[in-house]
Amino acid sequence: MKVQKGILALVGVLTLAACGAETGAANTASGGEGGGAKGGSLVWAVETQPVTFNPQQWGQNKARLLVHNQFDALIARGKDGEFLPWLATSWEVSKDGLTYTFQLRKDVTFHDGEKFDAASVKANLDQLVAPGYNAAVAGIQLRNFSSAEVTDPYTLKVTLKAPDALFLDFLSSPYAGQVSPKSLKTAKDLKAGGPDLVGTGPFILDRFTPGQEVHYRRNPAYNWAPPNAAHQGPAYLEEITYRFLPEAAVRVGALTSGQVQVIEGVPATELGLLKADSSVKVETSLNSGSAFSYYFNISHPPFDDKRVREAFRDAVDVDTVLNSVYQGTAKRAWSIVGQGSPQFYDASLENTYGNNAQRANKLLDEAGWSKRDAEGFRVKDGKRLTVRSIESAPYVRDRRDVLAQAVQAAVKQSVGIDFQPKVVDQGTQQKALQEDQYELFQNSRGDTDAGAALNLILPKGAAINRTHYENAELDKLLAEASTTSDLAKRKEIYARAQRIVVTDEALLLPLYVPADQVAYGAGVTGITFEPVSGTPNSAYDVRTGT
C-alpha cells in the first residue's frame, strides 16, 4: 500500500483520532495567512528549561515546541490524527506489517549544509538503538526495529521484528527528529545537544545561556514544511528568544509589561485577570497521553499493602484539592489515560473511588496502622506511616509542588499519613530511584498515542515502571495492543489494562489531565497547538506586527 503526498491510505496501520482541545479554537487559534507582518523578532517566556536540546533524548512535554523549531520528523499528524508526509513524501507497508519503504524528499539540507537523504535517516535510526544512547527508546518505542537499508539515495527500507501499530506514531514524534549525521559524530555533548547538534527545521539554535534563555534565528533555506502548515517557505520570524521564567507571576508580569510577547504555563491564579484584558488572548488545549498521577511503589511498605494504597486514594478529595490549587481550571483525571486521549480513555472509571475518609481510616486500621503518635500520624511497630516523593526540579510544572502540598495537608488531616514531597536536582532523584528510596512517584506522559505511555510505565522492566508492579496478563494485553491496527480492539484492550491498574490493583491516584495554556499580546498571530499532542506548535507560522 502506498501513501501519496497529502493522501492517507493506510491499510493495516492504525490511524489515531486527534485529542480534544479544551476550547474550540485551541487548534486553530490565530492561525491562517491573514494578519501580521513577515519578519521581526519575538520573545516567548517558558516555564521550564529543557534538560536537553537533543530531540532523541527528549522527555519534557514542555520542551516539545522547542524541538520542532530546530528539527523535522519524517511524518506529521493532521487535525484528525491522520499521518501526513513531511520529510518522507510517501511510504508503503508490507501486508505482514514488517517492512516499511519510505520515499524521501530530495530538496532538504541540514543546518550544517549536509544533505538529508536515506543514509542520514538510517544513521539516525541506528543511533537511536545504539547501546547507552537512549535505553528507553531502544527498549520500548523501537523494540521491534530490526534494520534500516538504503535501497537508493532517497529510498529507505525499514524491517521490523514484529508488527508494531506504534511505529508510525514514533516517526512523527520529537524522538524521530532528524539530526545531521555529521553533528551526531562531532557534537561536544551529544546527549545535551545545543548549537552544534543540528537539524533541518525552520529555525537554527545559535545561542543558549543556561538558566536564562535560548535563541533561534530563521533558517532562510527552509522550504519543506508539512502540508498542514499555514504557509510554506521560510518562517515568518527572523528570530525568536525563549526566556526561562519558572515563576508564574514573573511570566505574567513580563507579558503585561511588554517584556515578552508570549507566555506558556498561564497560572490559574492569573487566568481571570488575563482573560479580562482585551489586549491579551489566552488559549488552552488538553495534552494527550497519560494523566498526571501519583504512582505507588509496591516494592516495600507501606504500599505493598493494597489497603494502604486504597486508603491514600480515599483520603484525598481530589476535586477540592484541584480547585484550591487551580481554581477550577484543571480537568479532573480518573484513569492512567487522560481525557486528552479520548480514543483510549475509559470513562467507566469515573466516580468509582476516592473522597471517602471514613473508608480510608477503616482500611488503615485493618492494615495495622491503628495507633497515632503525638503529632497525629499513624504508626505501626514503632514506625510512622511515611510516604516520600522525590521529584526532579526540571520536570515540575503546573504548580505541581503546590499541588503536592495540598495533598500533603489532605492526607494528614483526614487519615494521619505523613506525606513528604520533595523537589530535588536530577542527580539526587536518580539516586533515590536507584536505591528504591521513595514510596510515591509522580508522572505524566505527553505521548500522542497513549499506548506508548502505558508501554513505558506498566510492563515488567519498563523504563519508568517505578511501581515495580508485575502482571503477566497486563504485559500480554499491552503487547497485543501494540501489534494490532484495529482501533476498536486496541480500545478494548486498553480499557481492560486501565481497570487492572486503577480498579483491581489501585496502583495510582490520577489527579488531573495536563494542559497547555498560552497567552499572547496584540499583534501576535499564528499561535497554534499540535492537533494530536495538544502542545504548542513551533514558532514556524507565528507573526508579529499588524
Side-chain angles (χ1 to χ4, degrees):
M1 60 192 162
K2 189 170 185 179
V3 180
Q4 299 292 347
K5 186 172 183 179
I7 300 175
L8 182 66
L10 290 178
V11 178
V13 178
L14 174 67
T15 300
L16 300 177
C19 74
E22 200 167 37
T23 62
N27 289 328
T28 56
S30 305
E33 296 287 351
K38 186 172 183 178
S41 61
L42 184 79
V43 182
W44 185 323
V46 295
E47 186 175 2
T48 55
Q49 176 176 305
V51 172
T52 174
F53 290 95
N54 180 339
Q56 296 165 0
Q57 300 291 324
W58 166 80
Q60 296 164 285
N61 221 32
K62 286 284 188 178
R64 191 180 180 107
L65 74 165
L66 302 181
V67 169
H68 281 155
N69 274 337
Q70 190 182 5
F71 301 93
D72 297 325
L74 294 182
I75 298 171
R77 302 299 290 273
K79 63 183 180 65
D80 294 321
E82 69 272 26
F83 295 104
L84 300 173
W86 194 351
L87 296 185
T89 60
S90 65
W91 53 91
E92 295 178 352
V93 185
S94 62
K95 290 182 179 181
D96 61 7
L98 297 179
T99 303
Y100 289 69
T101 303
F102 296 92
Q103 301 299 324
L104 308 175
R105 293 190 68 123
K106 301 178 181 179
D107 58 346
V108 179
T109 55
F110 290 99
H111 299 157
D112 59 5
E114 294 292 302
K115 194 72 174 175
F116 168 81
D117 55 16
S120 64
V121 179
K122 173 178 167 55
N124 275 264
L125 287 169
D126 290 344
Q127 180 67 52
L128 280 161
V129 296
Y133 184 63
N134 190 326
V137 168
I140 302 295
Q141 287 96 333
L142 288 178
R143 67 188 183 282
N144 291 319
F145 173 76
S146 177
S147 64
E149 177 187 353
V150 176
T151 59
D152 71 43
Y154 295 96
T155 304
L156 185 75
K157 184 173 76 171
V158 176
T159 303
L160 303 183
K161 302 171 187 175
D164 194 333
L166 296 172
F167 184 58
L168 290 182
D169 177 75
F170 170 77
L171 294 181
S172 70
S173 74
Y175 287 121
Q178 294 299 294
V179 181
S180 163
K182 179 180 178 181
S183 69
L184 284 174
K185 296 178 180 178
T186 62
K188 295 178 182 177
D189 189 337
L190 178 57
K191 289 195 174 183
D196 59 350
L197 191 71
V198 304
T200 63
F203 292 94
I204 299 169
L205 192 164
D206 61 4
R207 185 175 70 249
F208 168 49
T209 306
Q212 297 182 33
E213 64 184 31
V214 60
H215 181 269
Y216 296 85
R217 57 183 170 85
R218 180 167 58 198
N219 176 8
Y222 194 76
N223 196 30
W224 41 85
N228 59 337
H231 80 287
Q232 296 294 313
Y236 292 130
L237 295 171
E238 292 179 1
E239 61 177 351
I240 181 168
T241 302
Y242 293 91
R243 289 186 182 164
F244 311 130
L245 300 179
E247 294 296 328
V250 174
R251 288 195 303 280
V252 172
L255 176 65
T256 56
S257 65
Q259 297 177 59
V260 304
Q261 291 77 54
V262 184
I263 64 171
E264 63 84 24
V266 180
T269 52
E270 306 291 341
L271 195 58
L273 176 67
L274 290 177
K275 286 187 173 181
D277 188 338
S278 60
S279 67
V280 174
K281 292 185 178 180
V282 180
E283 307 288 352
T284 300
S285 179
L286 290 180
N287 294 167
S288 61
S290 62
F292 177 69
S293 304
Y294 284 178
Y295 292 85
F296 304 126
N297 180 1
I298 69 170
S299 68
H300 61 257
F303 289 137
D304 58 339
D305 189 328
K306 180 184 174 183
R307 293 170 296 186
V308 181
R309 303 197 294 270
E310 290 182 339
F312 192 100
R313 295 201 313 191
D314 283 340
V316 183
D317 181 345
V318 174
D319 289 321
T320 297
V321 166
L322 292 179
N323 284 333
S324 71
V325 177
Y326 301 111
Q327 300 182 8
T329 64
K331 180 74 171 178
R332 166 75 185 270
W334 287 99
S335 179
I336 185 172
V337 176
Q339 290 93 314
S341 296
Q343 70 273 41
F344 297 136
Y345 173 66
D346 183 6
S348 71
L349 295 171
E350 294 178 5
N351 301 304
T352 59
Y353 61 88
N355 190 22
N356 190 337
Q358 182 178 357
R359 180 175 183 268
N361 279 291
K362 183 175 182 293
L363 286 168
L364 291 177
D365 286 343
E366 292 174 354
W369 296 95
S370 55
K371 296 181 180 179
R372 304 253 185 167
D373 63 17
E375 296 181 58
F377 293 113
R378 288 180 177 264
V379 293
K380 178 181 180 181
D381 299 329
K383 294 182 180 179
R384 179 181 286 184
L385 180 47
T386 300
V387 174
R388 298 166 296 174
S389 172
I390 310 294
E391 297 309 310
S392 175
Y395 292 89
V396 176
R397 53 174 282 196
D398 301 344
R399 305 184 79 211
R400 290 176 179 175
D401 51 342
V402 179
L403 175 61
Q405 293 169 14
V407 173
Q408 179 185 46
V411 297
K412 177 183 179 181
Q413 180 178 356
S414 60
V415 296
I417 293 176
D418 183 17
F419 177 35
Q420 299 179 358
K422 291 184 179 180
V423 177
V424 299
D425 60 82
Q426 283 185 280
T428 301
Q429 187 207 35
Q430 190 59 36
K431 184 175 185 292
L433 294 175
Q434 291 174 345
E435 297 178 356
D436 201 28
Q437 297 297 310
Y438 66 98
E439 285 72 47
L440 188 149
F441 170 64
Q442 305 176 30
N443 184 260
S444 65
R445 292 280 311 178
D447 303 274
T448 50
D449 189 306
L454 300 184
N455 287 344
L456 283 163
I457 298 169
L458 297 179
K460 177 182 178 180
I464 53 176
N465 179 350
R466 291 168 183 161
T467 64
H468 300 294
Y469 176 69
E470 298 180 9
N471 183 317
E473 178 193 0
L474 180 62
D475 291 357
K476 183 179 179 181
L477 286 170
L478 295 175
E480 183 181 359
S482 296
T483 59
T484 179
S485 59
D486 186 326
L487 183 60
K489 187 174 182 180
R490 290 187 79 208
K491 183 171 184 177
E492 179 183 339
I493 293 171
Y494 287 140
R496 175 59 187 143
Q498 289 171 77
R499 291 173 197 139
I500 289 174
V501 299
V502 177
T503 303
D504 298 350
E505 298 295 342
L507 283 180
L508 68 154
L509 169 60
L511 290 169
Y512 74 93
V513 183
D516 273 293
Q517 305 87 17
V518 177
Y520 50 97
V524 177
T525 59
I527 299 289
T528 59
F529 292 88
E530 291 188 23
V532 179
S533 72
T535 55
N537 262 320
S538 74
Y540 174 65
D541 286 321
V542 176
R543 300 188 190 194
T544 60
T546 57

